[in-house]
Amino acid sequence: MNIFNTANNSNSIPGFILIGFPCTREGQILLFVLFLIVYCLTLLGNGSIVCAVRWDQRLHTPMYILLANFSFLEIWYVNSTVPNMLANFLSETKVISFSGCFLQFYFFFSLGSTECFFLAVMAFDRYLAICRPLHYPSIMTGRLCTHLVVTCWVLGFLWFLIPISIISQMSFCGSWIIDHFLCDPAPLLALACKKAPVVELLLSTLSPLPLIIPFVFIMGSYTLVLQAVLRVPSAAGRRKAFSTCGSHLAVVSLFYGSVLVMYGSPTSEHEAGMQKIVTLFYSVITPLLNPVIYSLRNKDMKSALQNLLCLKYVHMF
């Protein structure tokens, strides 16, 4: 293959080589078509939620504003990996430039961190709605909601500035082959000319925190929610309370379940294929499923999406 011929002359390589999912040419084309469909459906689903919240006045509440920002985030999350993946399926060399690799690393992990922060804020919103219903309007004001949204975006993009600045200044040697479909820090550090224990320690310290801290906060919020729901005397009231946070719990379970499998399992070479599949699940499949989960379990969202589709249909004719 051209990949390995190029790898033998590493001085001529203008960047790293992302192996992705190696298979025959026909298999690469099939994967290209499959992921192109998934990519388009993801953009359509999340974009529809953003538009529905934007144009339906009934959805101008903190819960739906957070959801719209979360869907907007998912659009950029898949854009950080899938377009390059699609290009690699049709490429003979599968090369990504050094700057492109570092940018992908930064945006992928920054957007992933931002997603964790948003999931925590959405859990806090559900806690207030169920445990403090009388005080909810006075606490979760439009101003506080805006501050929380801005904090999630800013904190997520500040988190990996130092690690990416350090890694981008390192020298890389060898074949420059990354056995993944994205620029992951572990294979990048493995290609460094010199071992960098300080950088590895920095990454191993900073990387888990955006996962662990929001996860602990989410679990604490839902522990209090569960206690409050169990005190509700009527079964109908308990079902209503559970349905209020059911969609969010499903999304949290999908995202954190796959991420915990990814970072809780050994990273030996013979498990590289499994690492790709798990990463693919939380970075591509989960953003595809999120709009389905939120729209199917929410009457207001379904109504808004139906109105949006009707509005588009009327404008077309």
Side-chain angles (χ1 to χ4, degrees):
M1 291 178 66
N2 290 342
I3 297 175
F4 300 103
N5 292 335
T6 308
N8 292 330
N9 186 15
S10 60
N11 291 329
S12 65
I13 299 177
F16 298 105
I17 300 172
L18 291 177
I19 292 182
F21 300 93
C23 58
T24 63
R25 183 64 179 170
E26 292 76 14
Q28 294 282 308
I29 295 174
L30 180 61
L31 287 174
F32 172 82
V33 174
L34 176 62
F35 282 103
L36 179 62
I37 293 172
V38 170
Y39 177 60
C40 293
L41 289 176
T42 302
L43 297 183
L44 179 63
N46 287 285
S48 297
I49 288 181
V50 173
C51 293
V53 174
R54 171 66 179 84
W55 288 327
D56 196 320
Q57 294 291 329
R58 296 172 301 170
L59 302 184
H60 289 184
T61 62
M63 182 178 77
Y64 292 109
I65 291 172
L66 291 172
L67 176 58
N69 275 273
F70 187 75
S71 296
F72 182 71
L73 166 67
E74 295 287 58
I75 292 173
W76 288 105
Y77 195 40
V78 294
N79 275 325
S80 67
T81 57
V82 177
N84 184 74
M85 190 195 309
L86 292 174
N88 274 357
F89 285 137
L90 303 180
S91 171
E92 291 291 334
T93 59
K94 303 186 185 301
V95 173
I96 182 172
S97 67
F98 293 116
S99 58
C101 185
F102 297 135
L103 282 174
Q104 185 187 64
F105 166 84
Y106 174 68
F107 280 104
F108 179 74
F109 284 94
S110 295
L111 289 165
S113 300
T114 306
E115 180 163 348
C116 294
F117 295 134
F118 263 110
L119 288 173
V121 169
M122 293 165 80
F124 174 66
D125 177 73
R126 294 302 83 208
Y127 158 76
L128 290 178
I130 294 174
C131 299
R132 305 285 297 276
L134 297 179
H135 299 90
Y136 179 82
S138 60
I139 297 176
M140 186 56 78
T141 60
R143 183 176 182 180
L144 176 61
C145 183
T146 301
H147 287 167
L148 290 173
V149 167
V150 172
T151 300
C152 288
W153 283 102
V154 172
L155 193 58
F157 275 83
L158 286 178
W159 202 272
F160 282 93
L161 272 180
I162 294 176
I164 192 59
S165 299
I166 296 175
I167 292 177
S168 62
Q169 300 301 316
M170 297 174 65
S171 298
F172 298 93
C173 305
S175 63
W176 296 353
I177 295 176
I178 298 177
D179 189 7
H180 214 309
F181 62 87
L182 57 82
C183 290
D184 197 63
L188 274 177
L189 291 177
L191 295 177
C193 296
K194 295 181 180 178
K195 291 293 182 180
V198 176
V199 178
E200 293 179 5
L201 178 62
L202 182 66
L203 271 175
S204 62
T205 303
L206 288 180
S207 298
L209 291 181
L211 289 170
I212 296 172
I213 296 175
F215 183 71
V216 171
F217 186 86
I218 291 169
M219 291 299 100
S221 298
Y222 276 111
T223 299
L224 297 175
V225 167
L226 181 61
Q227 292 175 352
V229 170
L230 292 178
R231 289 196 295 265
V232 176
S234 67
R238 288 194 295 271
R239 283 195 299 271
K240 183 179 179 181
F242 277 124
S243 66
T244 302
C245 51
S247 298
H248 182 256
L249 269 176
V251 171
V252 169
S253 300
L254 282 173
F255 180 78
Y256 270 101
S258 55
V259 168
L260 290 176
V261 169
M262 170 70 180
Y263 292 101
S265 61
T267 55
S268 56
E269 291 184 3
H270 68 275
E271 292 183 343
M274 180 58 67
Q275 297 290 324
K276 293 179 193 177
I277 293 173
V278 177
T279 304
L280 191 68
F281 186 83
Y282 74 77
S283 64
V284 179
I285 305 302
T286 300
L288 170 68
L289 297 178
N290 287 349
V292 179
I293 294 171
Y294 278 110
S295 60
L296 288 180
R297 296 183 59 90
N298 191 297
K299 293 181 180 179
D300 292 335
M301 181 55 66
K302 282 195 288 188
S303 175
L305 289 173
Q306 288 171 356
N307 292 337
L308 180 64
L309 291 175
C310 291
L311 183 63
K312 288 184 177 180
Y313 181 80
V314 170
H315 283 307
M316 286 176 62
F317 296 97

